[in-house]
Amino acid sequence: MSIDVKVVSTLQSFQALREPWNALVSDRKENLLGLDATSTFEWFEATLAAFDQAADTRVLVLSSGGELMGLMPVFSDTPQKRWPQLKAPTDLYGGRVGLLLRRFSPDLVSALIEGLDLAYRDWSSFQITLVVGSESALAIEQQCQTGGFNLAKWDQRESPYFPLLSGAEAFQAGISKGLRQLLRTSTNKFKALGELKHLQLTKEAQATELLDIVLDIERKSWKHEAGSAITNNLQQERFYRELFPRAMRSGLLLGQILSLNDSPIAYNFGLQRDGVFSCLKHSHVQSMDKLSPSYLLNLALIDHLRASGVHTYDFMGLPDPHKLRWSNASSTYSRYNARIFNRNLAGRLAFHGYKIKHKLASTVLRPKSKQQAEARAEAE
């Protein structure tokens, strides 16, 4: 099979790829080893608009017989033009990502990696996030072995997900006993305080309204004081301003607000695609913390998602205890950072530097007791 490789680098040329791009993004709701909605064109477009680092992004386009076979967005993360270090734009902000390919054949994977030279001559390394056991991860590992590229992997993290099951009764039976009690108690206490309303925002015209409510709740949440709220991160806020209208226009983004007496007290928003809901952010105002409004909102969201045909809830992030309370059928997937080092001098030097840095870091982080035990063993 003859594979043609070209590089496009203008916004107009990117726009022409929207439909075939999204056609390559396929999730696997049974085990979440596929690409989530952060690999869609809408997420890519918002990243370019929000992150100055991605301004010089280029996209490798693979085709065969006039049929598009794969895409690889990439940008240089180094200011110098010589020996650039490359990254996938989703490494600026993303979730379960990987390679955009029609099929994972060795010739297509090779064409992508080898084609990086066309995008950035004399590149030294390329970084991308991969999911353990995914087709993307296995294909890259195989290509590095056969193609003579060095590969480094680090910072592996687990994220939880769970099935929504066929009905509300079956799902709630799998919720932890403590959470079921909390939901009942919270519902009864709120009845004494006033009227609770669930507001669902999905239309592009509601993008500004949704973000304004989200930011107001963030400022009033524990996250703001802790420094982890969207309102503490201007770059993140800028990204969501770019993402919301684009994702809502395409039917990807779902936002839900819980209000008490018409005053917003909690929110949850995420991306819905291929039967999977990827939870991006959720929080509530600190003054309502003891009543756990986020839990009530999440239960309402789950019921809505099930009715909409969604089968899997991807909590993303780390497997925090509050996420694991939602289902006794929870599983996790693991993602990690991967860096491919080029075969040229720059790549070999970069890989050598990585190994030295990694060795030093592991030495510093080793527990003192282990170091002392090793020292005793050497002395003996």
Side-chain angles (χ1 to χ4, degrees):
M1 178 179 66
S2 176
I3 302 173
D4 297 316
V5 185
K6 70 174 183 178
V7 178
V8 297
S9 57
T10 66
L11 290 176
Q12 184 176 2
S13 61
F14 295 158
Q15 288 286 349
L17 296 171
R18 178 189 298 274
E19 290 189 13
W21 183 308
N22 283 338
L24 295 175
V25 182
S26 179
D27 212 328
R28 291 170 59 178
K29 55 181 173 287
E30 72 279 4
N31 55 22
L32 300 200
L33 293 183
L35 307 177
D36 68 16
T38 66
S39 290
T40 58
F41 183 84
E42 287 74 17
W43 190 278
F44 166 74
E45 192 177 41
T47 301
L48 296 192
F51 290 88
D52 294 336
Q53 305 98 301
D56 190 37
T57 292
R58 302 162 193 186
V59 178
L60 284 169
V61 181
L62 306 186
S63 60
S64 179
E67 181 182 15
L68 187 139
M69 303 301 293
L71 299 167
M72 171 86 87
V74 59
F75 73 96
S76 173
D77 194 38
T78 48
Q80 70 271 19
K81 294 184 178 180
R82 191 179 184 188
W83 299 348
Q85 297 174 14
L86 310 181
K87 282 185 178 181
T90 41
D91 265 42
L92 291 169
Y93 204 47
R96 285 180 288 113
V97 293
L99 302 178
L100 291 161
L101 286 172
R102 189 171 296 278
R103 62 175 179 271
F104 285 84
S105 60
D107 54 345
L108 290 177
V109 178
S110 175
L112 277 184
I113 305 302
E114 300 283 355
L116 288 172
D117 281 315
L118 295 177
Y120 290 94
R121 186 178 178 183
D122 295 329
W123 61 278
S124 60
S125 65
F126 171 60
Q127 180 175 319
I128 187 171
T129 299
L130 300 171
V131 177
V132 174
S134 66
E135 290 179 299
S136 292
L138 297 176
I140 284 181
E141 290 176 6
Q142 181 62 37
Q143 176 58 27
C144 287
Q145 291 175 4
T146 59
F149 297 93
N150 287 309
L151 177 66
K153 299 184 287 185
W154 74 98
D155 194 24
Q156 183 170 316
R157 290 158 291 166
E158 289 189 332
S159 291
Y161 67 95
F162 53 82
L164 300 188
L165 303 181
S166 58
E169 185 175 345
F171 177 80
Q172 291 192 31
I175 296 176
S176 73
K177 183 178 179 180
L179 179 54
R180 288 201 303 270
Q181 180 60 49
L182 184 151
L183 290 167
R184 288 193 294 268
T185 301
S186 181
T187 299
N188 292 331
K189 287 184 177 180
F190 268 115
K191 286 180 180 179
L193 295 178
E195 183 181 12
L196 280 180
K197 290 183 180 179
H198 294 88
L199 176 64
Q200 183 169 294
L201 303 173
T202 60
K203 306 299 183 183
E204 181 182 359
Q206 299 172 314
T208 300
E209 178 186 1
L210 174 60
L211 186 59
D212 286 345
I213 293 174
V214 165
L215 295 179
D216 183 60
I217 292 175
E218 287 278 282
R219 293 187 192 96
K220 298 173 181 176
S221 73
W222 67 268
K223 293 181 180 181
H224 187 78
E225 186 174 344
S228 60
I230 300 174
T231 45
N232 299 120
N233 189 324
L234 294 179
Q235 183 69 76
Q236 198 174 108
E237 181 178 333
R238 182 182 176 187
F239 173 76
Y240 284 120
R241 286 196 183 281
E242 298 292 346
L243 176 67
F244 275 24
R246 290 175 169 87
M248 294 171 99
R249 185 185 312 141
S250 300
L252 284 174
L253 193 136
L254 169 64
Q256 288 213 338
I257 305 297
L258 181 66
S259 296
L260 175 63
N261 299 325
D262 294 322
S263 179
I265 59 173
Y267 77 82
N268 192 329
F269 69 82
L271 303 176
Q272 179 179 325
R273 194 178 194 277
D274 282 354
V276 177
F277 177 76
S278 299
C279 180
L280 294 177
K281 294 285 183 180
H282 57 93
S283 192
H284 59 262
V285 296
Q286 180 63 25
S287 60
M288 293 287 171
D289 189 55
K290 292 184 179 180
L291 295 178
S292 304
S294 289
Y295 285 111
L296 291 180
L297 181 59
N298 201 48
L299 182 60
L301 172 62
I302 287 171
D303 289 339
H304 167 78
L305 292 172
R306 185 187 300 106
S308 302
V310 173
H311 300 278
T312 305
Y313 191 114
D314 179 4
F315 242 129
M316 306 183 80
L318 297 174
D320 301 311
H322 76 88
K323 298 177 182 178
L324 302 179
R325 302 175 72 184
W326 282 99
S327 175
N328 58 7
S330 290
S331 300
T332 62
Y333 59 87
S334 297
R335 59 183 184 142
Y336 62 92
N337 292 322
R339 182 174 295 164
I340 302 167
F341 295 89
N342 204 351
R343 296 167 297 199
N344 57 14
L345 176 61
R348 294 196 300 272
L349 290 174
F351 182 61
H352 182 66
Y354 167 82
K355 289 195 297 182
I356 293 175
K357 183 178 179 181
H358 181 73
K359 185 176 181 179
L360 289 173
S362 61
T363 300
V364 171
L365 293 175
R366 274 190 303 176
K368 283 187 176 182
S369 57
K370 185 175 181 179
Q371 294 182 28
Q372 292 167 351
E374 291 175 350
R376 286 195 301 270
E378 290 177 1
E380 296 171 354

